[in-house]
Amino acid sequence: MLKQHLQFKLSQKLSPQQIQLMKLIQLPTQAFEQRINQELEENPALESGKEEKNSLDEDFSEDYEGESDSESIGAEDINIDDYLSDDEVPDYKTRANNYSPDDDEKSIPYAAGISFNQYLINQLNTVYLNDLEWAIAEFLVGSVDESGYIRRPLADIADDLAFTQNIHCEEADIERVLKIVQELDPPGVAARTLDECLILQLKRKERTPNIELAINILDKSFEQFTKKHYKKLLQKYDIKEDELKEAVSEIEKLNPKPGGSYAGSNKVIEHIVPDFSIKIVDGELELTLNGRNAPELHISNEYSNMLAGYKSAKDKSKSQKDAVMFIKQKLDSAKWFIDAIKQRQQTLYITMNAIMQYQKEYFLSGDERKLRPMILKDIADAIHMDVSTVSRVANSKYVDTPYGTKLIKEYFSESMKNEEGEDVSTREIKSILETVISDEEKKKPLTDDKLAALLKDKGYPIARRTVAKYREQLGIPVARLRKQI
């Protein structure tokens, strides 16, 4: 039996322009600059720098969000006067009084260097190897990762040598050549495990009793060492506490990632460019938007002149009409892009200003305990914008403050009630938790239960599992692993 029913469904769709605006808002400063350069390359009607004269009127009469690419508009339907103006009008530079040029920023030159793997190959050139050994050594060096380790089993390496290099050898041959590669600098390179890496470094040192003990501990009792079962180690090696302490001290001086210490490593260095700057001037907070977010853009005078020439022409050929359609499309796109940048700047500034005012006590003092509980909705409600817009600003933008450069989303936190029933930030609790752990007796670290009890005594009644969660978020290990001799 067929049934018919009527269903009403309300849905909201974003226009392509709105979607692009959201993407622009999300971009941090460096990516935003790249996006502008891309638009300048793709749209000849858009130019950078100050506009001299004959710019298009700032009050553009076309409704961009209502147009679609598939809409057919005849050249005769275009009101050329809407695109032309003989009046002196402001150019489209988007800098305002609250946006200052990034005068303090300096470009830092970096010297080009060789890769970490090439650095190892250069050392191999000084070692005498026969053809087979050289082929194996070169392949092993190519298998060293950026931390300095060879993570793959030797059996897999033997298979790869056979299939890719047509080199047939035994694991024993690879093991023998690996020992040669492990003698290269930096010490510990080409190790397969952490304990092997540390032992290789210790063997490069002068063989004192402390070094010998450290090597034995890593070689025969690595698991007990990592779990800090110091009593078992004292009994096993029949040593005094001071001897164990000195051996552990030698181990703690070693580098667990020898590849990371090589300055010429192929790591991608991310340079953070703050999108905002907050300064304290005469006891008041002053917010500025990075000047690189306020480019000077305007409509090409050449394109304006093209339209003027079309308007004055008596006979309008089909090719001229097609050209006018192309010009109109590029002008529409350029005008929308300029307006979108203005809207982006306004959105960024309004959002960050609301965050700054919300956390005013913190920004004036730098005391994290004064950070108020703040969620995205708090700021969205204050500036009458969508939560997703605030999220786009907070998740990808950095602010330069008197207390360091911070990712804006770090200032957001949930809240909980203290014993007085007041809302306190979870960041405040984490800060107190860090302080308590740093002041604990290192030989007897506090368990999560004891930490929870101490926090309760301080007026923060939270459960043990919550303490454990905050501790893990702070990157602090459990009590057993914090234990020192």
Side-chain angles (χ1 to χ4, degrees):
M1 182 177 177
L2 292 176
K3 289 185 178 180
Q4 286 185 325
H5 65 278
L6 187 63
Q7 181 180 7
F8 291 96
K9 185 177 181 181
L10 183 63
S11 63
Q12 183 180 12
K13 291 184 178 180
L14 294 176
S15 69
Q17 288 87 352
Q18 288 174 313
I19 293 173
Q20 287 196 50
L21 176 60
M22 290 297 102
K23 290 180 178 179
L24 283 177
I25 290 173
Q26 189 168 353
L27 294 176
T29 298
Q30 286 177 303
F32 176 63
E33 286 184 315
Q34 294 173 2
R35 177 67 182 86
I36 289 175
N37 291 333
Q38 178 187 349
E39 191 71 19
L40 285 169
E41 289 177 5
E42 294 177 356
N43 190 349
L46 184 68
E47 292 183 351
S48 61
K50 293 185 178 180
E51 185 181 13
E52 296 178 359
K53 60 181 180 177
N54 294 332
S55 64
L56 296 180
D57 195 335
E58 193 162 3
D59 296 326
F60 209 58
S61 61
E62 296 291 331
D63 182 10
Y64 300 99
E65 293 187 2
E67 290 186 8
S68 64
D69 294 335
S70 60
E71 185 177 0
S72 176
I73 303 176
E76 62 277 3
D77 296 329
I78 302 174
N79 187 352
I80 304 300
D81 292 327
D82 286 342
Y83 290 80
L84 299 172
S85 173
D86 294 328
D87 299 330
E88 278 298 322
V89 293
D91 60 15
Y92 286 98
K93 64 181 182 179
T94 51
R95 188 183 305 152
N97 290 335
N98 48 8
Y99 308 141
S100 62
D102 197 11
D103 294 331
D104 296 333
E105 187 163 349
K106 302 291 187 296
S107 59
I108 304 173
Y110 287 89
I114 61 173
S115 69
F116 181 45
N117 294 106
Q118 186 60 49
Y119 173 65
L120 298 175
I121 290 291
N122 290 347
Q123 294 181 67
L124 274 181
N125 289 326
T126 65
V127 181
Y128 176 76
L129 299 169
N130 60 39
D131 291 344
L132 176 62
E133 289 172 338
W134 173 263
I136 296 173
E138 189 176 29
F139 196 87
L140 287 171
V141 166
S143 301
V144 174
D145 64 18
E146 63 179 15
S147 297
Y149 287 81
I150 292 179
R151 309 284 185 180
R152 305 180 63 230
L154 296 187
D156 291 351
I157 292 177
D159 290 340
D160 283 351
L161 280 167
F163 286 112
T164 64
Q165 308 287 332
N166 199 25
I167 296 173
H168 299 277
C169 57
E170 302 295 331
E171 284 187 44
D173 297 324
I174 300 175
E175 183 87 41
R176 177 170 49 81
V177 176
L178 177 62
K179 299 298 182 186
I180 298 172
V181 174
Q182 289 176 341
E183 292 176 3
L184 304 177
D185 287 328
V189 72
R192 290 159 289 182
T193 59
L194 175 58
D195 52 331
E196 184 180 31
C197 175
L198 300 177
I199 290 171
L200 286 171
Q201 294 178 57
L202 288 172
K203 287 183 176 179
R204 299 273 191 104
K205 295 177 177 284
E206 183 183 352
R207 292 299 188 92
T208 64
N210 291 337
I211 297 296
E212 292 291 350
L213 177 57
I215 291 174
N216 282 333
I217 290 173
L218 292 175
D219 188 30
K220 300 174 182 177
S221 310
F222 185 68
E223 185 176 355
Q224 291 177 328
F225 167 74
T226 55
K227 293 182 177 179
K228 297 196 174 184
H229 291 160
Y230 294 134
K231 287 184 179 179
K232 293 182 180 179
L233 292 175
L234 290 171
Q235 294 173 356
K236 181 174 181 178
Y237 293 98
D238 191 21
I239 53 177
K240 297 179 180 179
E241 191 173 287
D242 288 343
E243 293 177 280
L244 179 59
K245 190 172 183 178
E246 290 175 359
V248 171
S249 177
E250 291 289 348
I251 296 173
E252 289 176 343
K253 296 175 185 177
L254 305 176
N255 185 1
K257 294 183 178 181
S261 63
Y262 177 66
S265 179
N266 281 341
K267 291 183 177 179
V268 177
I269 301 174
E270 181 182 359
H271 300 283
I272 295 174
V273 177
D275 304 271
F276 305 92
S277 176
I278 293 178
K279 295 180 181 178
I280 302 174
V281 181
D282 297 330
E284 293 295 327
L285 296 175
E286 182 181 277
L287 173 67
T288 55
L289 180 65
N290 188 322
R292 290 162 63 175
N293 286 285
E296 292 179 333
L297 300 175
H298 64 270
I299 304 298
S300 168
N301 288 333
E302 183 180 352
Y303 269 57
S304 300
N305 294 336
M306 288 182 186
L307 281 183
Y310 175 82
K311 181 182 178 183
S312 61
K314 293 181 179 179
D315 298 324
K316 297 178 175 60
S317 65
K318 184 179 183 303
S319 61
Q320 285 179 313
K321 292 180 180 180
D322 291 341
V324 168
M325 290 301 299
F326 173 80
I327 292 169
K328 178 188 179 299
Q329 179 187 3
K330 293 301 180 183
L331 288 173
D332 287 349
S333 178
K335 178 59 175 66
W336 174 86
F337 191 73
I338 291 171
D339 288 344
I341 288 177
K342 288 183 177 181
Q343 193 169 342
R344 175 185 183 271
Q345 287 174 214
Q346 185 181 28
T347 302
L348 294 186
Y349 190 85
I350 290 173
T351 304
M352 187 63 227
N353 187 62
I355 293 171
M356 183 181 73
Q357 297 302 329
Y358 200 95
Q359 301 290 5
K360 186 173 183 178
E361 288 190 31
Y362 161 75
F363 284 115
L364 286 172
S365 66
D367 187 352
E368 288 198 352
R369 289 173 297 181
K370 293 186 177 181
L371 275 172
R372 297 171 58 192
M374 179 176 69
I375 59 175
L376 295 173
K377 191 174 184 301
D378 293 329
I379 302 302
D381 291 344
I383 62 178
H384 307 292
M385 289 187 182
D386 193 79
V387 171
S388 62
T389 302
V390 178
S391 176
R392 284 180 170 87
V393 175
N395 287 334
S396 58
K397 306 294 185 299
Y398 287 84
V399 57
D400 180 29
T401 74
Y403 324 108
T405 300
K406 305 279 188 179
L407 186 62
I408 295 172
K409 74 174 182 179
E410 293 180 8
Y411 296 122
F412 289 84
S413 64
E414 296 178 352
S415 64
M416 64 159 287
K417 301 283 185 182
N418 62 12
E419 286 188 338
E420 284 74 33
E422 301 171 333
D423 283 334
V424 293
S425 168
T426 53
R427 286 193 58 128
E428 177 181 339
I429 299 172
K430 289 179 183 179
S431 178
I432 294 171
L433 181 61
E434 275 187 302
T435 303
V436 170
I437 291 176
S438 66
D439 294 340
E440 70 185 359
E441 186 180 349
K442 303 306 177 185
K443 287 189 176 182
K444 295 180 180 178
L446 298 169
T447 63
D448 290 342
D449 284 319
K450 291 181 179 178
L451 288 171
L454 279 173
L455 287 173
K456 185 176 181 181
D457 292 341
K458 292 178 179 291
Y460 303 95
I462 59 176
R464 183 205 62 80
R465 63 179 179 273
T466 308
V467 170
K469 181 179 76 172
Y470 291 167
R471 177 180 51 72
E472 289 171 0
Q473 289 174 350
L474 290 168
I476 300 174
V478 296
R480 176 172 51 80
L481 297 180
R482 300 199 306 273
K483 185 178 180 181
Q484 295 182 6
I485 305 173

